[in-house]
Amino acid sequence: MELHDPTADNLCQYLLAPAARTPDKAAVVEPDETGTLTEVSYRQLAALVDEYTRALEPLGLDVGDRVVVEAHSSAAAVAMLLACSKLGLPFVPVSPQTPDNRLLAILRSVEPALHARADGADRRDLPWAGDTARFGRSGLTTEHPPAPRTRRRRRVLAVDTAYIIFTSGSTGRPKGVVMSHRAIVTFLRAVIADGLVGDTDRVASTSPLQFDFALFGIGVALGSGATLVPVGRENLDSPRRMVNFLRDAGVTQVHGVPSLWRPVLRHDPELLKRLDKVRSVVFAGESFPLAELRRLQEMLAGARLVNGYGATESMAASFTDVPDPLSAEQRSLSIGRAHSGAEMTLVDTSGRVVTRPGVVGEIHLRSPSLFSGYWDDPQATAQVLVPDPLDPRHGQVVLRTGDLAYLDERNELYFVGRADSQVQIRGNRVELGDVESVLAQLPAVTSAAATIVPRGGDHVLMAGVVLDDAAAPFDEDAALDFCAQELSAYMRPRRIRPLADLPLTENGKVDRVLLARLVTTAV
Ligand SMILES: Nc1ncnc2c1ncn2[C@@H]1O[C@H](COS(=O)(=O)NC(=O)C[C@H](N)c2ccccc2)[C@@H](O)[C@H]1O
């Protein structure tokens, strides 16, 4: 009898545990090379992990040596991540879409022992002389095996790094978020214990591998003994393709950012009624505009819609059910309260804890699942892992999220925005979400985004709107008049420009930097 439960300390042990209980259960469902959906059982996944582990072991890599894994989410990619975890090799997931210069910056920063690329992830050779390997369902081959390294550690521990995720970061240089095995396994156990996923679920994950929303899908699907259905970009590029893929794969839970749903809601919302097996949707990454969320709720009648809030630095912090029905009066979505085992506290600018409803403070997260720090950046780490404002003497650190929120009367949190983007306009704090929800009420508008652009020492508010196809030419003056009726003077956009689509970041969030450029240059 193991005195110590190894699944608690290692991501691979934890996620492969179902292989012992239900070896023939599908762990992953994915299209094969002909596009036919195939099932990879937990037993087959475990066998692939063993095969990769056997191929990696002779390379003599040491606990803590990094492996950059360049792949789309797939059974082979999952097996690669788990083989790295088993050997104590922190994986750094990047998607094949990552631009060359960003991948080079990551390679130069983490100095990986190996750059492992999935079969089919073809990228022109990079000016990087490091060691590379290729992997797929047929195994792992090293093109340039790394020189043997001196092993200094004998055991893989819970405190060792499971992965490093580079966030684009709202400002400047990408930062590597270092997550330990203990942090991620503790988090996954808590979220599964809260009942988000059950072992009969088929969990569709639509985010690219370098976004921890994808790791979240892998973690909760395998951690609960359910089935992961990675959805490739080729199955997301049209509403019909997406709906047909989700239906044919028998998906019961869909994970995705709000923009995942925008095209089908705009072009063919009725298609969503075909998803009669979908019992729940988890969205994360940014606020889901209420007008669009209401339409999704109508189309997926009865499905549970969950607002997943949080940052890569703790993977996430809360999962809150959207009220059903979402009343027309509701102006913003709650991010509820922290998942079990964690706690969110609001702290005001003078460091005092906010307990009164309606008062805005910065969310501080206490949790056993906080990241270890930013890779090679102790200064940036010290900015966000701060002494507990309630009593610094403990030496315990909390995550300073940079997110502003307020409490309602039921002690539930409502997200207001990023502290670093709470630009004042003539001294007033602008809530972009409020501007966007007014714009979404315009007749021809199917989605809207607002942004603040500097103009002559102050800031002005500009907006972009996406029109439904049949719309006549956009009448900006009428739209500005409507905003004048609905919004206080400082919240009114200076210009409202029609856009073909809202610009998105690599992870599918609205790209407000690109938006600012588009709306100020649109003719
Ligand atoms: N539901 C939200 N409403 C509103 N603003 C939000 C929300 N979820 C994030 N955000 C924003 O995005 C920031 C975090 O960005 S991030 O580090 O890239 N991480 C994510 O976006 C996803 C996150 N790690 C995650 C992964 C898996 C499940 C849930 C959440 C937060 O600090 C918030 O500002």
Side-chain angles (χ1 to χ4, degrees), residues 70 94-108 115 117 122-128 506:
E70 182 178 355
V94 294
S95 94
Q97 267 67 43
T98 303
D100 286 2
N101 51 17
R102 180 173 154 84
L103 177 54
L104 276 171
I106 291 173
L107 290 168
R108 286 174 184 145
H115 173 196
R117 291 191 288 181
D122 292 321
R123 175 189 298 270
R124 290 188 323 278
D125 276 347
L126 290 175
W128 180 72
E506 257 190 279

Side-chain angles (χ1 to χ4, degrees), residues 435 439 450 461-463 480 483 487 489 491-496:
V435 180
L439 290 165
L461 213 156
M462 303 286 272
L480 288 167
C483 288
L487 292 164
M491 297 265 275
R492 291 170 201 157
R494 178 69 58 85
R495 297 300 303 272
I496 304 172

Side-chain angles (χ1 to χ4, degrees), residues 169-205:
S170 40
T171 53
R173 200 163 61 90
K175 296 194 293 258
V177 175
V178 177
M179 287 291 273
S180 68
H181 287 276
R182 178 169 57 183
I184 186 63
V185 173
T186 309
F187 167 80
L188 293 172
R189 281 170 178 262
V191 170
I192 291 167
D194 285 351
L196 191 73
V197 189
D199 65 359
T200 61
D201 271 308
R202 285 198 154 196
V203 180
S205 173

